[in-house]
Amino acid sequence: MRKMLARLRGDAGMNTAEYAVGTLAAVAFGGILLKVLTSDSVQSALAAVIDRALK
């Protein structure tokens, strides 16, 4: 049991599969964020906030 716990604690990095899943999740999140931020309603809301801040 101690050997198993020591082995699990010693795993400090991610392996290749975890990097692949993390990269895929980051790309998917970036795509969704890009789609949301380029939508007409979000752009007009951001423009209104900026207009109010500059006045």
Side-chain angles (χ1 to χ4, degrees), residues 4-5 7 14 19 21 25 27 33 37 42 48 50 52-54:
M4 184 203 268
L5 289 175
R7 222 172 97 198
M14 293 194 304
Y19 276 120
V21 170
V27 168
L33 189 61
L37 290 178
V42 173
I50 291 170
R52 267 188 268 148
L54 293 176

Side-chain angles (χ1 to χ4, degrees), residues 14-32:
M14 293 194 304
N15 64 32
T16 305
E18 290 169 332
Y19 276 120
V21 170
T23 302
L24 183 62
V27 168
F29 181 72
I32 292 170

Side-chain angles (χ1 to χ4, degrees), residues 1-9:
M1 183 70 166
R2 287 184 183 178
K3 285 183 181 181
M4 184 203 268
L5 289 175
R7 222 172 97 198
L8 290 175
R9 284 190 206 125

Side-chain angles (χ1 to χ4, degrees), residues 44-55:
S44 55
L46 286 174
V49 169
I50 291 170
D51 283 344
R52 267 188 268 148
L54 293 176
K55 288 183 181 180

